[in-house]
Amino acid sequence: MELRVRALETVLTQKGYIDPEALDVLIDTYQTRIGPRNGARVVARAWTDRTYREWLRRDATAAIASLGYSGRQGEHMVVVENTPTQHNLVVCTLCSCYPWPVLGLPPTWYKSAPYRSRAVREPRGVLAEFGVRLAADTEVRVWDSTAEVRYLVLPMRPPGTEGLDEDALAALVTRDSMIGTGLPLAPPARAR
Ligand SMILES: [Co+2]
C-alpha cells in the first residue's frame, strides 16, 4: 500500500497536480496539530454547559466551529448523544469518511474492510471486541458517515465526575468514545 501511494504521489507530482510540500504541511497539520483532543473539548463543554449541549443538538457544525474547530471533512457535523437506552456507533461503510477537525486522521481499523462491514451487521460483536459491554436493553444505533455528513458521538458523562472542571473532564474523553467503539475513562480515584 505504501509503495502504491508513493507511486501515485510521484505521478501526480510529475503531472503538476499536487505540490508535495503542500501535502506534507496538510498531513503534518492533521497528524500533530489537529486530533481527538479537539473533540474532547467539545464533549467536555457539552457535559458542563447545557446551553452549549442544546446548540450541539441543533447545529453541531456551528457549535463546534465556535470553539475554533472547522474545516475540510467537518463542514456538516452531526452529534449523536449516548443515553442509558441508546449507544451510538459511527462507521463509513463506503470508505473512511471521518470528522477530521475534531478527531484528526482516522485510525487504521476504522478504514479496514472488516470494521466497515461488521459494524453494521453485528455491532454488538464489534463493540465486545473493543471491550465495550452494554446493558442488554441498550439499543445500538449505527451511523454511516458520508462525504456530506460526519458524526461525533457524545458519550455519557462518567459517574463520579461532578467536581471536575472542563480540563479534567476533557482528559477522560478518548478518541474511541467519540466514535462509539469506546467509553470515556473513569475519573482518577482522588476525584471521586
Ligand atoms: Co467514506
Side-chain angles (χ1 to χ4, degrees):
M1 180 61 81
E2 251 172 66
L3 279 174
R4 266 193 263 169
V5 170
R6 217 171 303 150
L8 190 62
E9 186 179 340
T10 304
V11 172
L12 291 172
T13 305
Q14 281 168 357
K15 289 187 178 287
Y17 290 134
I18 58 167
D19 172 2
E21 277 179 34
L23 210 57
D24 286 346
V25 170
L26 267 176
I27 292 170
D28 181 64
T29 299
Y30 282 98
Q31 236 161 27
T32 60
R33 286 205 307 114
I34 302 175
R37 299 331 303 157
N38 292 4
R41 308 295 320 181
V42 172
V43 170
R45 176 66 58 88
W47 282 348
T48 53
D49 181 338
R50 188 176 307 172
T51 311
Y52 184 75
R53 194 185 187 108
E54 276 157 21
W55 190 13
L56 267 183
R57 283 191 195 118
R58 250 189 357 263
D59 184 353
T61 311
I64 290 169
S66 77
L67 299 185
Y69 314 136
S70 61
R72 56 182 71 207
Q73 318 293 324
E75 293 92 342
H76 303 286
M77 291 293 308
V78 170
V79 165
V80 286
E81 206 173 337
N82 286 352
T83 67
T85 54
Q86 180 174 310
H87 181 88
N88 298 287
L89 179 65
V90 179
V91 65
C92 174
T93 54
L94 200 64
C95 42
S96 57
C97 297
Y98 193 72
W100 292 11
V102 279
L103 294 186
L105 296 177
T108 308
W109 55 258
Y110 184 86
K111 299 183 273 187
S112 74
Y115 177 75
R116 285 160 37 209
S117 59
R118 291 186 55 227
V120 177
R121 281 205 322 271
E122 38 165 341
R124 277 181 182 276
V126 170
L127 287 175
E129 282 164 33
F130 275 94
V132 176
R133 287 179 214 295
L134 303 169
D137 57 350
T138 301
E139 183 200 348
V140 179
R141 185 121 190 237
V142 181
W143 301 84
D144 195 358
S145 308
T146 67
E148 271 79 45
V149 179
R150 307 296 164 94
Y151 299 97
L152 182 74
V153 174
L154 177 56
M156 284 191 286
R157 182 169 171 164
T161 56
E162 289 74 17
L164 298 185
D165 65 12
E166 221 176 288
D167 285 347
L169 287 171
L172 305 178
V173 183
T174 62
R175 177 196 65 197
D176 288 5
S177 73
M178 295 179 280
I179 303 174
T181 51
L183 299 175
L185 304 173
R190 58 186 161 72
R192 285 183 216 176

